[in-house]
Structure formats: structure tokens, C-alpha cells
Amino acid sequence: MYMFHLILLITDYYTTGIDPFHASKVAELEQETPWRLLQTAVGLSAQEEASSQSRHDQLKRFMKLCLWATRLMDATRSDRVISFLEKKAGESGDEKSVAVQYINDNSGTELLLDLALADHLLTHGWCGKVTLNVKMEPMYVSHAIGADVHEHIAEMQRESRTPEVQALGKRLAGYVSDELLVEATLMIIKGDLNYRRLLGDRLWSPSTPIEEVVPYFPTAFVSLRTMKSTLVAGIPAHIVEKLEKEDSKWKFNGKRAIIQSVLEPQ
């Protein structure tokens, strides 16, 4: 990270506020793939909910869409997270009292889908407020900062976008405000780097329960992570053994994703 800090110093970021990585972020938004995926997300969100179970399954599919991997491990965690949100809304008697905090990671396709998920949570009555927590400064090439959020929302509203994506952009523009951190019912943590921070950048035994590894977090959280580094915890021992036999690079080759949560902080 020190190298990227030097880049910010050399490019006078702290004087001009100009993101030296902005060009690469814009280049990704000029490609077709991010918008195809966003259109898929918008279509999923627009599907009519015939029952509470279909509503549950819809959010589960949305969470999976936000992960870039060929295989999702421990998918039952998403069921627990959704049930947790339903429980909290039931306890308060009003889903608007449920607040979701989002620790974001990268711009581009990932941020587009993060924004779509935030909209889905709000428009489908899963919570009353979603707060995005992006980086204060671009400490890595693709890290999302506040300016990226506004630019991505503006990009959604271009005339060249589909009517559905434009409508999403307009809704998001109406939501956006700069507010201080508020107490969260649930924290959504995105990305491999944030996952490593969650684990204290320590090499745990992969089968160590995630509740033992992260006993300190002040509120319920769910981590959505595509596996790109050797740090991992919370994988049952029999699955670890199976993966080691199948693929020696399973921890870091980006082919797998994992949803993990601690919903009752210690």
C-alpha cells in the first residue's frame, strides 16, 4: 500500500483531488460487460414476488450475483443473513428501522452491482436505510471513492442506457446524501482485501470457525468475497480436505466465492 500512497503524493492527489486511477475506472465503464451484468441485476430485482419464499430466493440470487466466481461455497450463510433481516424487521415492527451498512471495495462492475443491491434492499422493503462506506482516497487502482459513486450513478442515467438502468440511476440519485456513520443492523463487507482485514491478516487454520476468528465486530455482518488470497477461515474441515485434493490453488485463484456471517456478535 505504501507504493500506492507514493503515487498519490507524486501525482499531487492531496492538492488537486484528481484521482490518478480515474482513467482505468472509466475504461471499465466503457465496456459492455458491466452493463450486461447490471441489466441482469435490474431484471432480477424487477421480478414479481409471488410469495415470501420467492422474495427470500430473489435476494439470495442477488447476493450471489454480486460475487464474481464460478463456485459459491457455504451458500447457506445467505439464507441465515436473509432470515436475520426478516427477524430484525419483525422485532421492530417496521423494516424502515433496519439499517444496512456497506463496506465497499472496488469501482466498476463491482460498484454498479453494489449500488443495484442497495436499491433492491430499499425498494423491496428489506431495510429503511443503506449507507455506503467507500475509501477516503484511492489507495489502489480500482478502489471506490466517493466521487466514483456519484459518477457511476450518473453513468446509469445516460440516454444510451436501457430505460430500466436509467430508472435505477434516478432512484439512486434520489437516495444519495453524505451522512455520518449510523448504527447498523447489518454490515455488508465486500472484497478480498476487506476480508483479510477482518481476519487481522493472520493465517488461520481454514476450518477455524469464523465466529472465533472475528469475535470483536460490534454488529452483525456478512462478508461477500471472491477468494483471491491464502487467508481463509470458517470452512468445514471435510470441505477443506476435498478442496485440497481437487485444486491446490483453491484459496487464491479467484474461481470460488464465499458468503460468511456472524449474526450474533459475541
Side-chain angles (χ1 to χ4, degrees), residues 17-34:
I18 298 174
D19 183 354
F21 310 120
H22 180 257
S24 62
K25 295 176 180 179
V26 172
E28 182 176 351
L29 293 180
E30 292 174 350
Q31 299 173 13
E32 293 183 6
T33 300

Side-chain angles (χ1 to χ4, degrees), residues 1-202:
M1 284 299 173
Y2 181 65
M3 180 184 72
F4 291 100
H5 177 63
L6 287 178
I7 291 175
L8 297 184
L9 290 173
I10 293 169
T11 57
D12 286 331
Y13 171 78
Y14 297 104
T15 301
T16 66
I18 298 174
D19 183 354
F21 310 120
H22 180 257
S24 62
K25 295 176 180 179
V26 172
E28 182 176 351
L29 293 180
E30 292 174 350
Q31 299 173 13
E32 293 183 6
T33 300
W35 301 103
R36 283 203 303 267
L37 285 170
L38 183 60
Q39 186 65 41
T40 299
V42 171
L44 175 60
S45 187
Q47 291 177 7
E48 187 173 347
E49 302 163 355
S51 66
S52 60
Q53 183 59 43
S54 63
R55 180 172 182 262
H56 182 113
D57 292 342
Q58 187 182 44
L59 180 55
K60 184 176 179 178
R61 293 198 302 273
F62 216 114
M63 292 171 68
K64 183 177 180 180
L65 182 63
C66 287
L67 287 166
W68 299 5
T70 55
R71 303 176 190 176
L72 177 63
M73 300 190 297
D74 203 12
T76 56
R77 289 279 182 172
S78 56
D79 289 314
R80 297 178 200 173
V81 172
I82 295 168
S83 297
F84 173 79
L85 285 175
E86 292 173 331
K87 173 187 172 186
K88 289 299 180 182
E91 288 175 353
S92 65
D94 182 9
E95 71 276 356
K96 291 189 181 299
S97 66
V98 176
V100 172
Q101 290 274 348
Y102 215 126
I103 298 181
N104 302 85
D105 191 21
N106 295 312
S107 61
T109 307
E110 187 170 331
L111 182 56
L112 289 176
L113 294 176
D114 289 348
L115 288 165
L117 177 57
D119 175 74
H120 182 85
L121 291 169
L122 291 166
T123 57
H124 288 260
W126 287 101
C127 63
K129 184 172 184 177
V130 177
T131 303
L132 304 182
N133 297 280
V134 294
K135 304 293 189 299
M136 291 186 65
E137 54 194 39
M139 290 303 294
Y140 190 65
V141 177
S142 57
H143 280 174
I145 59 176
D148 296 322
V149 174
H150 294 284
E151 184 168 26
H152 282 52
I153 292 173
E155 284 288 336
M156 292 180 192
Q157 298 176 71
R158 282 179 175 265
E159 291 185 1
S160 57
R161 308 300 178 207
T162 65
E164 297 84 3
V165 169
Q166 289 183 46
L168 169 63
K170 290 176 182 177
R171 285 197 303 275
L172 288 166
Y175 298 146
V176 170
S177 62
D178 296 321
E179 297 188 12
L180 297 176
L181 199 66
V182 297
E183 184 176 352
T185 308
L186 177 71
M187 182 76 76
I188 300 174
I189 302 173
K190 284 293 298 294
D192 194 75
L193 178 58
N194 285 327
Y195 182 85
R196 284 161 43 198
R197 288 172 173 156
L198 199 62
L199 269 60
D201 249 334
R202 297 169 62 188

Side-chain angles (χ1 to χ4, degrees), residues 177-243:
S177 62
D178 296 321
E179 297 188 12
L180 297 176
L181 199 66
V182 297
E183 184 176 352
T185 308
L186 177 71
M187 182 76 76
I188 300 174
I189 302 173
K190 284 293 298 294
D192 194 75
L193 178 58
N194 285 327
Y195 182 85
R196 284 161 43 198
R197 288 172 173 156
L198 199 62
L199 269 60
D201 249 334
R202 297 169 62 188
L203 284 172
W204 298 85
S205 168
S207 58
T208 307
I210 193 71
E211 292 82 359
E212 293 182 17
V213 175
V214 193
Y216 61 86
F217 212 77
T219 191
F221 74 84
V222 56
S223 169
L224 308 180
R225 176 216 184 191
T226 298
M227 301 178 70
K228 299 177 183 177
S229 64
T230 55
L231 274 68
V232 66
I235 309 293
H238 69 282
I239 295 179
V240 173
E241 183 178 356
K242 180 174 180 288
L243 289 170

